[in-house]
């Protein structure tokens, strides 16, 4: 409830984009969304990222009561936008949906990201990155992480980190998801060359399923530079 009210209080003057992370490796199919976040951008340039717990029970039009992460499986991102909009009293008409392979590619396109991790997280990442590579059929050799603290993660390692609910259950998984997304934004800020940013936007729009256009992505990239 507190999380719901927090989002509602920020709705005036904000543009909201639904971010969905799913496991499906088949473009034409939808599965329940492991990650559900709302990216909120204010007309003054402020940016907020809010996680939605996937087990919240909501009314799903045409399907009755169910977990909020089932909406995308039942009716794709359009139904997910409708459900999140109605439950949190928002106006959401933009989304970006990415599977594991897409997220790995986005992070690798940026040259990896830097993230603070604990020893427990290091062990999990080394194990899970191998599973991520197997699922997406990536045969590249990844060197296991040997240190904690601030480490450099490739795409498969970062996605493995985002999937971790062993250390801290679902709540900590949402923390790790935001951590990775913020690290992506931070990495974008290092790309000060505007033509380079434009090329990233062109490549990035090919990877997720989204109704964002190139101008939308360019605006998000420019806002990331200002943070």
């Amino acid at each position: 409830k507190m999380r719901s009210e927090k989002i509602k209080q920020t709705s005036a003057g904000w543009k909201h984009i639904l971010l969905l992370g799913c496991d499906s490796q088949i473009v034409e199919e939808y599965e329940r969304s492991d990650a559900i976040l709302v990216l909120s951008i204010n007309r003054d340039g402020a940016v907020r990222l809010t996680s939605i717990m996937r087990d919240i029970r909501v009314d799903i039009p045409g399907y009755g009561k169910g977990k909020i992460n089932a909406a995308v499986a039942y009716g794709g991102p359009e139904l997910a936008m409708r459900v999140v909009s109605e439950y949190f009293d928002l106006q959401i008409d933009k989304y970006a949906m990415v599977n594991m392979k897409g997220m790995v590619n986005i992070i690798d396109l940026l040259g990896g990201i830097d993230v603070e991790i604990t020893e427990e997280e290091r062990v999990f990442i080394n194990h899970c990155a191998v599973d991520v590579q197997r699922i997406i059929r990536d045969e590249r050799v990844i060197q296991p992480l040997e240190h904690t603290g601030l480490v450099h993660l490739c795409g498969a390692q970062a996605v493995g980190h985002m999937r971790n609910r062993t250390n801290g259950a679902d709540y900590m998984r949402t923390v790790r998801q935001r951590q990775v997304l913020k690290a992506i934004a931070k990495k974008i800020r290092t790309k000060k060359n505007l033509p380079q940013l434009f090329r990233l936007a062109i490549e990035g729009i090919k990877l997720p399923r989204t109704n964002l256009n190139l101008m939308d992505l360019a605006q998000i990239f420019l806002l990331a530079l200002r943070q």
Side-chain angles (χ1 to χ4, degrees), residues 65-83:
K65 285 280 189 181
K67 293 182 180 180
I68 197 167
N69 71 332
V72 68
Y74 294 151
E78 291 77 15
L79 182 58
M81 284 190 292
R82 178 180 174 184
V83 169

Side-chain angles (χ1 to χ4, degrees), residues 180-214:
V180 169
L181 292 176
K182 289 175 182 178
I184 291 172
K186 184 175 181 179
K187 191 61 178 283
I188 291 172
R189 290 199 296 272
T190 69
K191 310 293 184 182
K192 298 297 185 180
N193 184 291
L194 288 181
Q196 187 179 34
L197 276 174
F198 190 70
R199 287 195 299 272
L200 278 171
I202 292 174
E203 289 301 317
I205 203 169
K206 299 175 184 177
L207 297 174
R209 283 169 278 180
T210 182
N211 62 356
L212 293 167
N213 58 36
L214 191 56

Side-chain angles (χ1 to χ4, degrees), residues 14-193:
W14 293 74
K15 176 180 180 179
H16 305 287
I17 301 167
L18 186 64
L19 306 180
L20 299 166
C22 298
D23 281 348
S24 177
Q25 301 306 306
I26 304 173
V27 174
E28 294 80 11
E29 294 183 0
Y30 297 116
E31 292 184 0
R32 292 174 182 249
S33 43
D34 276 344
I36 311 172
L37 301 101
V38 177
L39 175 64
S40 302
I41 304 172
N42 189 271
R43 62 170 66 99
D44 297 324
V47 178
R48 293 182 181 176
L49 190 62
T50 306
S51 295
I52 296 174
M53 300 299 289
R54 63 180 191 156
D55 289 337
I56 294 174
R57 290 190 64 80
V58 296
D59 288 315
I60 303 176
Y63 298 91
K65 285 280 189 181
K67 293 182 180 180
I68 197 167
N69 71 332
V72 68
Y74 294 151
E78 291 77 15
L79 182 58
M81 284 190 292
R82 178 180 174 184
V83 169
V84 174
S85 294
E86 291 179 356
Y87 186 81
F88 291 104
D89 192 19
L90 298 174
Q91 292 183 342
I92 302 176
D93 59 5
K94 296 289 185 179
Y95 75 91
M97 180 176 176
V98 64
N99 60 15
M100 277 195 287
K101 184 175 180 63
M103 182 59 74
V104 168
N105 289 341
I106 288 170
I107 293 168
D108 285 341
L109 184 65
L110 288 168
I113 56 174
D114 297 323
V115 173
E116 288 273 353
I117 64 168
T118 66
E119 173 60 19
E120 289 180 332
E121 290 170 336
R122 181 191 71 82
V123 173
F124 186 91
I125 290 170
N126 285 340
H127 174 75
C128 193
V130 175
D131 285 340
V132 170
Q133 285 191 292
R134 175 183 53 79
I135 292 169
I136 68 174
R137 299 178 181 178
D138 181 353
E139 297 181 354
R140 291 175 296 173
V141 176
I142 296 177
Q143 295 301 318
L145 298 175
E146 297 181 353
H147 305 287
T148 59
L150 186 65
V151 298
H152 189 75
L153 304 180
C154 69
Q157 291 168 328
V159 169
H161 187 52
M162 295 176 80
R163 290 170 60 81
N164 183 356
R165 58 175 172 171
T166 299
N167 308 128
D170 263 346
Y171 174 76
M172 283 305 299
R173 177 156 69 171
T174 67
V175 171
R176 295 181 184 104
Q177 290 166 353
R178 294 194 301 275
Q179 184 186 26
V180 169
L181 292 176
K182 289 175 182 178
I184 291 172
K186 184 175 181 179
K187 191 61 178 283
I188 291 172
R189 290 199 296 272
T190 69
K191 310 293 184 182
K192 298 297 185 180
N193 184 291

